[in-house]
Amino acid sequence: LYNGMPPDRRMIVSIYVELAEMLTKKYESAAKKNSLFDSKKKYKLSLKYYEAYAINLYLRGAVNQETDPHRKSIAVKLNLLLDQKLQ
């Protein structure tokens, strides 16, 4: 996975891997509890600063590459929200 990557890139990729695992667990937990009555329930997610920063970096790249207008709009909104929280 990390062969030939510079150290700073390895760091970002390892944060992405941690985040993917955490978000997958959160999703699976929510999916198990989901029922007809709480299908619109909002869930909170607490992130460490470096995790939020890594997501922010990822979204900046995703916004530029996304072709679906709806998904691009969601990525922009989330990116702006994270920018505000990171200040």
Side-chain angles (χ1 to χ4, degrees), residues 44-56 59-60 76-87:
K44 288 190 175 193
L45 180 65
S46 297
L47 298 171
K48 295 176 182 168
Y49 184 86
Y50 71 91
E51 293 170 332
Y53 185 78
I55 291 174
N56 203 11
L59 286 173
R60 285 182 196 162
V76 167
K77 287 178 186 177
L78 184 54
N79 199 16
L80 290 173
L81 178 66
L82 281 172
D83 271 339
Q84 289 174 351
K85 300 284 184 180
L86 290 170
Q87 299 300 321

Side-chain angles (χ1 to χ4, degrees), residues 10-44:
R10 284 186 214 176
M11 178 186 65
I12 295 293
V13 170
S14 67
I15 293 170
Y16 289 157
V17 169
E18 282 181 27
L19 282 168
E21 290 171 358
M22 178 187 67
L23 293 172
T24 300
K25 286 179 186 176
K26 182 90 171 171
Y27 171 78
E28 288 171 351
S29 172
K32 286 179 186 176
K33 296 177 188 175
N34 198 8
S35 71
L36 178 64
F37 299 108
D38 57 34
S39 62
K40 302 231 182 217
K41 182 179 176 183
K42 293 185 178 185
Y43 295 91
K44 288 190 175 193

